[in-house]
Amino acid sequence: MDVPAEAQIDLGVVRDNVTGLRKHVGAAELMSVVKSDAYGHGMIPVARAALAGGAGWLGVIRIEEALALREAGLTAPVLCLMSVPGGRHEEAIRQDVDLAAGSAGMVAELAAAAQRAGRPARVHLKVDTGMSRGGATMSDWPGVVAAALAAQAAGHVAITGIWSHMACADMPGHPSIDAQVKVFQEALAVAERAGARPEVRHLANTPATLTLPQARFDLVRCGGGTVGLPTLPGPMPGWLRPSMTVRARLVQVKQVPPGAGVSYGHRYVTSSQSTLGLVPLGYAEGVPRDASGLVQVYARGRRWFIAGTVSMNQFVMDFGAEPAQEGDEVLLFGPGDNGEPTAQEWADALGTITYEIATRFGGRLPRSYLGVT
């Protein structure tokens, strides 16, 4: 490591995760969702590794992300999962990017963009099956389908997909799971009776992909699963591994006496003569400010709690009576192979999910890559 801190991404692990997910879902196709810079892992390299592992589709949130994939030379089907009024729809259509629509108004906007682009828009109609976020409610759904069928008959739209998103798939046994699957099936029936014949029907996110065969339909969407970060409770399948390791080096080591207050507010006070090590990462780089005493990091063969308030660009470790040296490696989290914490352990300690942990770090640190490029 030539820099004092970095996020290292193992693209071989990304590839193998996707291969494992493909085997797990059988006949269903797999979309690797690489939104938000692939959850902080790097959109372009992760997308390439995912395609090498067998992903047939890529998913993003913003049109700009989809266009960046095209500019990088990736020709696989790409779905932009959120269309916004006034977006760069015409450009997306010209670049063969699939677009989502959850209202009759958006269908009309995409149809108009398609006319300007001189080719039909490939559209995935989104139904709200119970998450109450994006998509058409079941009362509005017949009108959205009718608008899309009319635009398709006019040659401006191709209804490529019908889809929805699950709210509680990472909470096994939650009553909304079966309810959402049922509503999605009803929405499909409404659309099919009206004459829609989508290429793909998709509902399952990563946790649903792993645990709910009834939610897989034609295509599953795996973002966290691609990079080895499912949000389900309990251990992951053995074939699914985290691909990100965040590491740093101590940039200063010193001795302080008993009773020394450490960092802002002196929330931590040494209990004895102590060796303190300074790590050049703080909340600007992704370490939550309130992580002191809650999360552990790994150095010199064992785990240590963060000591004292996390600063903007640094935090302190108290090694007690044990020695430490400038340049010693500190592993914040990784796959856990060497005793370091995992992102799941950080998430559990901080009351959040692994996605937030990874995106906090990956977008703010220098990244290095192993494996597939």
Side-chain angles (χ1 to χ4, degrees), residues 82-106:
M82 184 171 68
S83 295
V84 298
R88 297 165 64 183
H89 302 130
E90 180 181 345
E91 191 174 354
I93 293 166
R94 290 183 186 277
Q95 292 296 322
D96 202 28
V97 172
D98 289 27
L99 298 166
S103 69
M106 183 52 68

Side-chain angles (χ1 to χ4, degrees), residues 88-143:
R88 297 165 64 183
H89 302 130
E90 180 181 345
E91 191 174 354
I93 293 166
R94 290 183 186 277
Q95 292 296 322
D96 202 28
V97 172
D98 289 27
L99 298 166
S103 69
M106 183 52 68
V107 169
E109 183 163 340
L110 297 182
Q115 293 176 68
R116 295 192 301 272
R119 59 186 297 182
R122 289 171 52 89
V123 176
H124 295 234
L125 301 179
K126 185 176 185 182
V127 58
D128 178 4
T129 54
M131 192 169 182
S132 301
R133 199 174 64 176
T137 62
M138 283 299 287
S139 60
D140 291 337
W141 180 242

Side-chain angles (χ1 to χ4, degrees), residues 169-215:
D170 55 357
M171 302 167 65
H174 195 281
S176 71
I177 294 173
D178 288 341
Q180 283 198 259
V181 173
K182 182 179 179 182
V183 172
F184 188 62
Q185 291 170 331
E186 292 170 356
L188 290 173
V190 168
E192 289 167 3
R193 283 197 299 269
R197 298 293 182 266
E199 295 175 17
V200 288
R201 304 162 300 164
H202 48 109
L203 175 63
N205 55 4
T206 291
T209 295
L210 291 172
T211 63
L212 302 171
Q214 70 272 30

Side-chain angles (χ1 to χ4, degrees), residues 263-357:
S263 194
Y264 291 117
H266 284 184
R267 294 164 61 194
Y268 179 87
V269 177
T270 59
S271 58
S272 60
Q273 177 83 13
S274 294
T275 300
L276 299 185
L278 189 63
V279 180
L281 293 174
Y283 54 82
E285 289 78 32
V287 184
R289 190 174 186 272
D290 59 358
S292 175
L294 294 177
V295 303
Q296 294 178 305
V297 299
Y298 183 87
R300 300 189 66 84
R302 55 163 285 194
R303 295 186 180 193
W304 312 83
F305 281 103
I306 292 175
T309 304
V310 174
S311 303
M312 186 176 292
N313 306 109
Q314 53 200 299
F315 68 81
V316 178
M317 298 172 64
D318 181 357
F319 291 96
E322 295 196 24
Q325 297 179 7
E326 292 180 9
D328 282 350
E329 185 177 65
V330 179
L331 299 179
L332 278 71
F333 59 83
D337 297 341
N338 299 306
E340 78 277 11
T342 62
Q344 185 66 60
E345 289 177 89
W346 271 55
D348 292 343
L350 293 165
T352 184
I353 60 172
T354 53
Y355 299 175
E356 181 182 356
I357 299 299

